[in-house]
Amino acid sequence: MKVYIGRTGLMNQIIEALLSHRSVRHFEDKHLSKEQIEAIVLSAQAASTSSFIQAYSIIGITDPEKKKKLAELAGNQSYVAENGHFFIFCADLHRHEIISEMEEKDIMISLESTEKFMVMLIDAALAAQNAAIAAESLGLGICYIGGIRNNLQEVCDLLKTPKRVIPLFGMAVGYPKKLNEIKPRLPLSHIYHENEYEQDAINFRKQLEDYNEVISQYYNERTSGKRKDTWTEQMAEMFSQPKRMYMNDFIKKHGLDLK
Ligand SMILES: Cc1cc2nc3c(=O)[nH]c(=O)nc-3n(C[C@H](O)[C@H](O)[C@H](O)COP(=O)(O)O)c2cc1C
């Protein structure tokens, strides 16, 4: 059976670290230092940013009560409260609204454009992934937390975010207590196309079926036989239960009535 843990003939320290990623959900009870937090945030900020727009903000949560509340809001995920530091990555066009006042220019159409919405999501995600890599390079573990979008209004209230700021996901960071096995990804040939999107339906399904075997075996080993579902089963089940369908109304209410 093919094993889709990334391996390449071109290994260096950075690629080795990238290919060793696995989410960490159990952390030592030890806070990150100010220097560690600063290195992680500066690394996030160093990411490329569409047209230099820097349309994101990062909120670090140090108040244990707030962390507890966020853990609850994120669907009782204990590691949202129990970690070395908790970051929240927000899409942010608030500062551009201030800029419009400073520069006395009407930018409303841009602020509410689907294009700028996409730009801020892309910017925030790029910054976050840089933060993740920086943290992992310091020997720390990370777990992204999309669960904060279960109750976004309450999260906004807790963080006192202004209009045009949307918390997108959290990131728990800390000293790993327990490491999972690396989770195999789809085969490279399924993800990477050359020159055009390959649409050989038979090969496409075959790749997914092969991957199903790999993932089923991965879960079987990780859970001592308790779980053996395949990736396509997992995806079909997940997509059959629409989630967070309030989001369209939510972003409209938050000053992003997209055009
Ligand atoms: C934006 C985003 C949100 C996520 N939200 C959660 C979450 O709320 N809880 C959780 O345990 N893992 C969360 N994850 C982690 C994914 O489940 C994980 O990355 C995926 O299963 C692959 O596993 P790996 O990171 O160990 O390779 C999230 C990942 C991303 C990128």
Side-chain angles (χ1 to χ4, degrees), residues 2-259:
K2 292 175 201 125
V3 177
Y4 302 119
I5 302 285
R7 279 279 143 234
T8 157
L10 264 189
M11 291 301 260
N12 62 29
Q13 267 186 325
I14 293 177
I15 294 172
E16 185 80 48
L18 291 172
L19 297 183
S20 304
H21 162 78
R22 76 285 313 264
S23 294
V24 172
R25 298 181 176 87
H26 296 91
F27 299 100
E28 305 283 349
D29 184 15
K30 186 173 168 192
H31 292 270
L32 263 59
S33 67
K34 204 165 161 268
E35 288 72 28
Q36 284 170 318
I37 294 168
E38 195 175 277
I40 290 169
V41 175
L42 286 173
S43 300
Q45 287 189 264
S48 293
T49 156
S50 323
S51 307
F52 200 26
I53 200 167
Q54 306 183 75
Y56 59 90
S57 290
I58 305 168
I59 304 177
I61 312 295
T62 55
D63 176 349
E65 284 308 309
K66 276 200 179 172
K67 281 172 102 171
K68 244 170 82 185
K69 184 72 194 157
L70 284 164
E72 229 178 271
L73 291 173
N76 293 318
Q77 301 196 64
S78 56
Y79 36 98
V80 172
E82 294 156 16
N83 50 54
H85 200 69
F86 193 69
F87 296 96
I88 297 185
F89 288 82
C90 306
D92 186 346
L93 284 177
H94 171 67
R95 85 171 52 84
H96 292 79
E97 191 160 19
I98 305 282
I99 289 170
S100 124
E101 290 164 16
M102 286 167 66
E103 298 295 332
E104 296 173 13
K105 245 194 166 78
D106 181 4
I107 63 165
M108 199 49 78
I109 292 177
S110 283
L111 284 181
E112 294 195 344
S113 68
T114 303
E115 165 60 14
K116 286 292 176 287
F117 183 66
M118 289 169 78
V119 159
M120 63 178 179
L121 301 187
I122 294 166
D123 268 18
L126 294 178
Q129 187 55 18
N130 258 22
I133 295 165
E136 290 180 341
S137 79
L138 295 171
L140 302 165
I142 68 109
C143 187
Y144 281 91
I145 304 291
I148 63 157
R149 296 196 307 279
N150 291 349
N151 293 288
L152 213 33
Q153 186 56 58
E154 286 179 68
V155 171
C156 286
D157 294 344
L158 196 69
L159 304 178
K160 300 194 167 68
T161 48
K163 198 172 161 192
R164 298 186 207 289
V165 175
I166 312 271
L168 296 174
F169 45 80
M171 188 185 288
V173 182
Y175 293 87
K177 205 181 208 173
K178 178 177 165 254
L179 282 184
N180 289 323
E181 290 300 314
I182 295 171
K183 214 185 236 184
R185 298 301 199 249
L186 282 160
L188 179 148
S189 57
H190 191 80
I191 289 281
Y192 178 68
H193 306 249
E194 229 156 39
N195 298 319
E196 60 185 33
Y197 196 101
E198 206 186 303
Q199 299 199 51
D200 175 345
I202 294 174
N203 191 34
F204 201 91
R205 280 173 180 252
K206 172 84 176 72
Q207 288 170 333
L208 292 176
E209 278 157 12
D210 283 354
Y211 185 56
N212 274 343
E213 277 185 56
V214 174
I215 286 298
S216 181
Q217 188 179 318
Y218 168 82
Y219 282 130
N220 188 23
E221 282 166 19
R222 180 169 149 181
T223 64
S224 313
K226 286 196 201 91
R227 194 176 157 186
K228 289 183 189 163
D229 48 326
T230 67
W231 189 69
T232 55
E233 276 168 359
Q234 195 186 118
M235 291 303 114
E237 177 61 23
M238 187 189 300
F239 278 68
S240 71
Q241 298 174 23
K243 224 171 155 182
R244 305 170 187 150
M245 294 304 285
Y246 71 93
M247 209 53 84
N248 192 286
D249 288 341
F250 180 87
I251 61 170
K252 272 192 191 125
K253 205 177 117 201
H254 283 258
L256 292 159
D257 188 8
L258 302 183
K259 310 289 178 317

